[in-house]
Amino acid sequence: MTAEQAVHPSSNDSGDTGEALPGLFSRQHAAATLTFATVMFLTGFAALAVVPTLPTAAEDLDGVPLFPLVAGSFVAASLLGGVLGGHWADRSGARRPLALGMVLSVVTLLVSASSLSIWQLVVGRFVDGLAAGMVAVSVTTAIGQSYPEYLRPRMLAMMSASWIIPSLVGPPIAGVVAEAWSWRVVFYGLAALTALPAVALVAVLRRAPAGDAARAADLPPAEERASRPPLLVAALLSLGAALGQYGVSGWDTRHLLFVAAGVALLVVFAPRLLPAGTWRSARGLPTAVLLRGLTSGTYFTVEALVPLMLITERRVAAVTVGVAFTASAVLWAVASWVQGKLLQDVARHRLVTVGALVMAASVVFAVVGSFSGVSPLPAMAAMPLAAIGMGMLDPCVTVLSLSHSAPDRLGHTTSAMQTNMNLGQVVVLAFATAVLNAGLAAGASRLGGYAIAFSLLLVPTLLVAVLAVRARKDANP
C-alpha cells in the first residue's frame, strides 16, 4: 500500500453502495479503536512525563556525569527497535511487534523505577527505546491491518489527537509527583497505568478482524513483500551510539577508547542506511535528510541538558521545569499549525531557514541562562523557543524529503529520515557532552561548562539555516 492510498479512501471501500459503512466505534472496530487510542494516550503521557523526571533520578543515583548516556541510550535503542519492528511487521504483520513493544514498555518502567544505580536506569531507558522504536513503526501498520481503507485517515488523526492532553498535563503532573514524593513514584505510576491497556492490546491483536484474512490473501509471498533490512547494520549503529555516549562521560584512556570505537562504528555503518551524499549535503534528498539529523540533534540536546542544568545547578523545581516542557509541546503544535495554514504559500526551504534561526536564538537564551549572575528564566525560555523553531521547520523538512522521493520509495525515505534523526540526536548530544566535560577538565565552573556546551549548538543551527536552500523542491537530486 502506498502512502497516497493510505490517505485517500478507495472507491471500493467507500463507494456509494447505499449502505452505512461501519465507523471507528462500530461493533466491528470499537475494541480496536478504544485500545489503540488508550495505548497512544498512555504512550504519549509516559514519554512526556518521564523526560523531565530523568535529571532528578540521575542526581539521586549519583549519576549526573552519565546523564547523557541515560538520555542517549533511549535514542540508540529506538534506532534498532524501529528497524526490527519494521522488518517484523513487513514479514509477519504488525500485531506481534506492537504487542511485544507495549509489554516491554511496562517492564522497562518497572526496571527504571527500581533502579539502584545509574547503570540500571541506563538499561531501563535502553529497553524503553527498543520498545518505543518497535511501537512507533508498528502502530501505523497495525492500523492498516485492522481497519478498511476509508477509516485509516480518521484513525491516524485520532492517534495524533491522543497526544494533546498528555502534552498539557504529563510534565507538570510528573514534576509535582517527583517533588511531593519521589521520581520512582512517577515510573511506578506510569507502569500501573500502562499495564492494563497493554494486556488489552495483546488480546485485541490476537483476534484478527474479519477482513484480515481476505486482505492477507491478496498479498504477495513474504519474500516478495520486502527485502530483509540491514538489521545487523542497525544493531552495530545502536552499539556505536551507546559506546560514544558512554565514552564522552570521561576523559581517561578507557573512555577515549570507547569514543573511538563508537565513532568508528558510526562512520562505517551509518552511510549504509542513508542516501548517498547525506554527509556532504548533496542537493535534494541527501540535504533534507541531513537537515533532519542536525535539527533533531540540536533540539534533543537542548531538551536534555537545559533541564539537567536547571534542576542540578540552578535548583529550579522539577514542577517548574515540567511547565516548560508543556509550553514546548503546545508551542510546537501551534508553530506547526501556523506553517501549515497561515504560511502555506511560503517556500518550504525558507521556513526551514526561519525555524533554524529561531532555534539559534533559543541556544543564545540557554547560554545566557547559564551565567551564575543571571536569572534562570532565559534558560527556561530556551526550551519553548526551540520548540517553536522545530514546529515550524520539522514538517517542512519532511515535505521536502518526500518531494524528492519516488512514490515507490516513500517508505525508504521515511526510514532514512528516522535513522538520521536518531543519529543526529546521539551525535550532537555526545559532542555537547564532550565539550561540557572538556570545559570542566580545563577548570571551568559547572555553569561555565554548560555555557560552552550550549554555544556549540550554534554550529548545527546556523548550518541548517545556510544549507536549507540545497533541499528546496526544485533542487536536483
Side-chain angles (χ1 to χ4, degrees), residues 167-243:
S167 69
L168 292 174
V169 303
I173 290 178
V176 170
V177 172
E179 287 286 327
W181 290 283
S182 167
W183 60 269
R184 298 180 188 274
V185 177
V186 175
F187 284 92
Y188 279 125
L190 290 171
L193 287 174
T194 309
L196 183 59
V199 172
L201 177 66
V202 173
V204 168
L205 293 179
R206 285 174 61 89
R207 183 165 46 87
D212 272 8
R215 284 193 292 270
D218 295 331
L219 292 174
E223 62 271 13
E224 297 178 14
R225 269 180 256 161
S227 59
R228 181 178 296 275
L231 294 178
L232 179 59
V233 172
L236 291 172
L237 275 180
S238 295
L239 175 61
L243 291 176

Side-chain angles (χ1 to χ4, degrees), residues 186-450:
V186 175
F187 284 92
Y188 279 125
L190 290 171
L193 287 174
T194 309
L196 183 59
V199 172
L201 177 66
V202 173
V204 168
L205 293 179
R206 285 174 61 89
R207 183 165 46 87
D212 272 8
R215 284 193 292 270
D218 295 331
L219 292 174
E223 62 271 13
E224 297 178 14
R225 269 180 256 161
S227 59
R228 181 178 296 275
L231 294 178
L232 179 59
V233 172
L236 291 172
L237 275 180
S238 295
L239 175 61
L243 291 176
Q245 289 292 349
Y246 171 70
V248 297
S249 65
W251 283 93
D252 53 46
T253 302
R254 177 168 60 89
H255 284 86
L256 293 178
L257 288 175
F258 276 106
V259 170
V263 170
L265 289 172
L266 293 179
V267 170
V268 170
F269 293 105
R272 302 190 184 188
L273 297 179
L274 302 176
T278 296
W279 288 355
R280 57 181 174 84
S281 188
R283 289 184 179 275
L285 179 60
T287 292
V289 173
L290 175 65
L291 298 182
R292 169 57 62 85
L294 292 174
T295 54
S296 297
T298 301
Y299 183 77
F300 180 75
T301 303
V302 169
E303 191 182 55
L305 293 187
V306 168
L308 181 67
M309 180 195 70
L310 290 173
I311 291 175
T312 62
E313 303 299 329
R314 305 306 302 268
R315 298 301 169 185
V316 175
V319 63
T320 304
V321 175
V323 171
F325 271 97
T326 295
S328 298
V330 173
L331 290 174
W332 182 316
V334 171
S336 181
W337 180 86
V338 168
Q339 66 81 32
K341 297 293 184 180
L342 304 183
L343 303 176
Q344 58 184 334
D345 296 329
V346 179
R348 299 294 93 184
H349 71 276
R350 297 186 186 278
L351 291 180
V352 172
T353 297
V354 173
L357 293 176
V358 173
M359 293 188 69
S362 77
V363 170
V364 173
F365 272 65
V367 173
V368 172
S370 302
F371 298 150
S372 58
V374 177
S375 166
L377 288 178
M380 291 186 60
M383 296 167 59
L385 193 58
I388 293 174
M390 281 295 288
M392 181 171 292
L393 67 81
D394 191 64
C396 298
V397 170
T398 300
V399 170
L400 289 170
S401 299
L402 296 179
S403 71
H404 293 296
S405 178
D408 60 344
R409 299 282 289 173
L410 292 177
H412 180 269
T413 297
T414 303
S415 175
M417 288 191 295
Q418 181 73 19
T419 297
N420 209 41
M421 181 188 75
N422 290 336
L423 288 175
Q425 291 173 352
V426 169
V427 171
V428 175
L429 178 60
F431 271 118
T433 303
V435 170
L436 170 61
N437 289 332
L440 296 178
S445 66
R446 294 199 63 83
L447 285 176
Y450 278 107

